[in-house]
Amino acid sequence: MDQPVDTSGITLPSGFDSLDKYASELDNAYQQYGYLARMHIVDFFVSDHWSSLPQEWQEYFDADDFEIASLINMASTGTLKATCPDFLRTYVNKFDLHSKSSQTEEEKQQILKYFLEGMSPKKQAEVTELSQLINDVAKASSCQRITDVGAGQGYLTRVLAYASGNSGAELLALDHDWKQARGAEKYQERILKRLKGPRARADGYQWDDTLAKRIVHDHGALEAVAKGGIPGSNYMVCGLHACGDLSSAVLKTFAESDLAAVVLVPCCYNHITENSMCTARFEHCAQPGFPLSTKFPNVVFGTNALKAACQAAPRWEHDFEGTMEAFKRNYFRAMLHYLMVSIGGLSTDDKFPVIGSITNTLMENARQRIVGRLDDNAVDATDDNIEFAVYVEAALENINYTWRPTIAQCIDCCSQIRHGLKRMAAVWALRSMIGALIESILVVDRAAYLGENCGAGGSVRAFALFDPVTSPRNVVFVAQRKK
Ligand SMILES: C[S@@+](CC[C@H](N)C(=O)[O-])C[C@H]1O[C@@H](n2cnc3c(N)ncnc32)[C@H](O)[C@@H]1O
């Protein structure tokens, strides 16, 4: 009998001991709550999304003693007040919000600093941690070549090739954008030049001409990876932040070839093409990115839900003010949409215009105009509804829209929409948590696919590698074939 694939390295939340059970729980939860992720948030008031929430939820969030601030803790860390109702407790516990981070020892090599220069602190942490893992896998699978797919400026490739503890394998930095590939090549030339210099010598770095040949840059496509292997030699692929379908394509390349291993950190779920989208549009879809495995045949996300999966709720509590500001911005945008539809002549079928970012100067000028027009009889004016009128003035100017509501109409809109900010914030928080559910489905689908295609005796791991606050897309996939 074939040796089974070892999937014990796929991290499951507590309470689950099998990938199948977890997949089925995720599927059920998505069928029940997925509507929250599929809604278009700017239509919140126009389409009355609030009424799609169960009555009990509406009453809880509308109550006078419910505070918006508590949503931030709930979505960010899963913390709930003792008085929180059961429905919310069950909802929050459904989602594996807190992908844990593994902390490896800080890289202490002197030489690493040459290769980390120019990277953001976030990228430095990611590259340091991921390169150690990839080099370990390359050694364990005796790989002679590692291809970094979607290498961009080559940050990961260079650390993989030159940091101590490297596997000695040849590195191929592959990016289909020739500007990226050329940029990476130039970057490397600059660093190598410095490595030949006096500062590197003083740091104890011994230059050796073979070092220059360790990385090959190419702007070829992914298909090149699986081809051209030398019989008897082991190759592997890796990737950091391979966007959307590129991650699915990397996993497929591994599944359909005899590559020895793959190590991959995906990102940008909103760039995933679903199988359902291809068939619905009768389009030929060469590489649908979801589902890949046999676990989720009936799950359909759509663009809004995939966007929800890109949220970073663990960051919220670290930027309390910014999160409250984002709640308010969403609320104002959705109210402006409501105003435009109810009195501004916009049809519900028309697309709401993209407002874009509004500069402080534009806001300040709008404020002066609104305050200048405020008449003494505006008895209902409060700081909050005046702020909305200022936003409307600035937003419409930002997009060169000629129609303007009066200040009284803005004030009236605020009083018509009861509990508007609270409701919007509650749904935004619930939605961001569904994002964690969608991400979990994508992770399980991809891990299960690797398990289904890794071959007898192989192993699959999927776990959180980076700190989720710094790097919200922190899950790494590792699959190795039996040697
Ligand atoms: C988000 S960037 C990540 C860059 C790099 N790995 C990093 O972390 O800094 C994704 C890169 O993938 C490249 N890319 C997208 N599709 C590709 C494909 N089919 N084949 C090769 N590269 C691709 C893009 O040009 C881009 O440089």
Side-chain angles (χ1 to χ4, degrees):
M1 211 174 90
D2 275 352
Q3 245 181 295
V5 175
D6 176 7
T7 55
S8 59
I10 301 174
T11 306
L12 299 177
S14 60
F16 291 98
D17 54 11
S18 102
L19 193 64
D20 279 349
K21 278 194 208 145
Y22 184 44
S24 144
E25 175 69 13
L26 289 170
D27 196 344
N28 290 339
Y30 186 71
Q31 301 310 333
Q32 192 178 354
Y33 302 112
Y35 69 94
L36 284 161
R38 289 188 295 270
M39 60 177 62
H40 199 29
I41 213 74
V42 84
D43 299 341
F44 189 72
F45 300 117
V46 169
S47 305
D48 190 17
H49 287 319
W50 181 249
S51 62
S52 57
L53 264 67
Q55 191 64 31
E56 191 187 8
W57 298 39
Q58 295 183 26
E59 284 165 14
Y60 175 72
F61 292 119
D62 271 351
D64 288 341
D65 59 355
F66 173 74
E67 289 167 356
I68 293 180
S70 67
L71 293 167
I72 294 183
N73 274 341
M74 177 183 85
S76 214
T77 65
T79 312
L80 291 165
K81 282 185 174 172
T83 53
C84 148
D86 282 348
F87 75 80
L88 202 55
R89 205 167 290 286
T90 315
Y91 179 89
V92 172
N93 288 335
K94 278 244 177 303
F95 309 127
D96 177 25
L97 281 178
H98 317 294
S99 358
K100 50 186 172 50
S101 65
S102 74
Q103 235 103 65
T104 56
E105 237 189 70
E106 211 180 286
E107 182 67 74
K108 297 204 174 62
Q109 316 159 48
Q110 277 278 39
I111 208 63
L112 194 60
K113 70 182 179 214
Y114 289 86
F115 298 101
L116 295 179
E117 269 173 29
M119 295 185 209
S120 65
K122 171 179 180 283
K123 188 69 85 186
Q124 286 189 9
E126 291 167 350
V127 161
T128 306
E129 204 137 4
L130 184 61
S131 61
Q132 287 179 11
L133 175 65
I134 296 171
N135 275 327
D136 287 348
V137 171
K139 283 182 212 162
S141 293
S142 312
C143 289
Q144 283 89 30
R145 176 188 271 190
I146 307 171
T147 301
D148 179 9
V149 181
Q153 290 296 299
Y155 296 126
L156 173 66
T157 334
R158 283 190 293 278
V159 174
L160 273 174
Y162 298 110
S164 76
N166 73 69
S167 66
E170 177 195 64
L171 264 297
L172 172 64
L174 191 78
D175 202 292
H176 73 165
D177 180 345
W178 68 267
K179 280 193 215 132
Q180 294 286 352
R182 186 73 194 111
E185 207 166 16
K186 289 201 144 188
Y187 218 127
Q188 189 202 356
E189 281 162 16
R190 271 203 308 276
I191 293 178
L192 290 184
K193 204 168 160 192
R194 293 212 327 265
L195 276 181
K196 287 182 189 170
R199 190 176 138 210
R201 261 200 306 282
D203 277 343
Y205 199 69
Q206 203 67 41
W207 177 255
D208 155 5
D209 277 341
T210 60
L211 291 173
K213 300 197 182 88
R214 202 169 276 174
I215 302 182
V216 177
H217 292 89
D218 193 356
H219 67 272
L222 176 61
E223 293 73 52
V225 173
K227 294 184 194 142
I230 299 164
S233 54
N234 286 339
Y235 288 178
M236 69 176 281
V237 271
C238 67
L240 172 59
H241 296 155
C243 324
D245 283 338
L246 179 57
S247 277
S248 306
V250 169
L251 299 181
K252 279 187 188 176
T253 301
F254 171 77
E256 291 163 9
S257 68
D258 61 354
L259 286 164
V262 58
V263 178
L264 181 77
V265 177
C267 74
C268 304
Y269 302 127
N270 52 321
H271 293 306
I272 290 178
T273 313
E274 291 182 71
N275 204 6
S276 57
M277 294 179 197
C278 308
T279 43
R281 291 190 208 135
F282 300 101
E283 277 173 11
H284 172 64
C285 212
Q287 295 274 338
F290 176 84
L292 295 178
S293 74
T294 53
K295 303 281 180 237
F296 301 101
N298 301 317
V299 170
V300 175
F301 295 126
T303 314
N304 289 338
L306 288 170
K307 277 188 189 157
C310 300
Q311 295 229 19
R315 281 185 176 170
W316 288 10
E317 61 159 4
H318 297 268
D319 182 16
F320 192 86
E321 294 296 313
T323 306
M324 292 295 264
E325 198 46 46
F327 286 158
K328 194 178 258 183
R329 231 182 5 255
N330 280 320
Y331 162 60
F332 280 176
R333 254 181 352 128
M335 284 227 295
L336 172 57
H337 189 199
Y338 179 80
L339 256 187
M340 289 166 89
V341 168
S342 55
I343 57 170
L346 193 77
S347 144
T348 43
D349 296 332
D350 292 335
K351 245 185 145 193
F352 179 68
V354 177
I355 301 296
S357 58
I358 304 173
T359 62
N360 288 344
T361 318
L362 203 63
M363 274 309 259
E364 208 29 60
N365 291 343
R367 187 176 310 282
Q368 282 176 17
R369 285 199 296 278
I370 292 292
V371 172
R373 290 210 306 263
L374 248 189
D375 103 38
D376 294 339
N377 300 321
V379 282
D380 296 330
T382 62
D383 286 350
D384 285 344
N385 56 32
I386 292 303
E387 206 182 330
F388 175 58
V390 170
Y391 169 83
V392 169
E393 174 76 11
L396 293 176
E397 188 178 338
N398 204 34
I399 56 170
N400 291 322
Y401 208 79
T402 43
W403 172 79
R404 293 282 188 282
T406 64
I407 299 176
Q409 285 168 327
C410 292
I411 293 175
D412 196 37
C413 177
C414 292
S415 50
Q416 263 179 46
I417 296 179
R418 275 183 63 245
H419 303 305
L421 177 58
K422 261 184 170 182
R423 291 178 176 183
M424 168 61 89
V427 169
W428 189 251
L430 294 170
R431 213 172 160 268
S432 80
M433 295 167 73
I434 288 273
L437 168 74
I438 296 168
E439 182 167 27
S440 300
I441 292 179
L442 290 164
V443 169
V444 169
D445 178 55
R446 287 167 162 180
Y449 174 73
L450 286 172
E452 289 163 10
N453 291 281
C454 192
S459 71
V460 180
R461 289 180 275 162
F463 56 95
L465 183 67
F466 311 137
D467 170 24
V469 176
T470 322
S471 306
R473 303 287 79 80
N474 67 346
V475 175
V476 65
F477 295 87
V478 183
Q480 287 169 269
R481 291 211 157 88
K482 194 179 173 206
K483 281 196 282 177

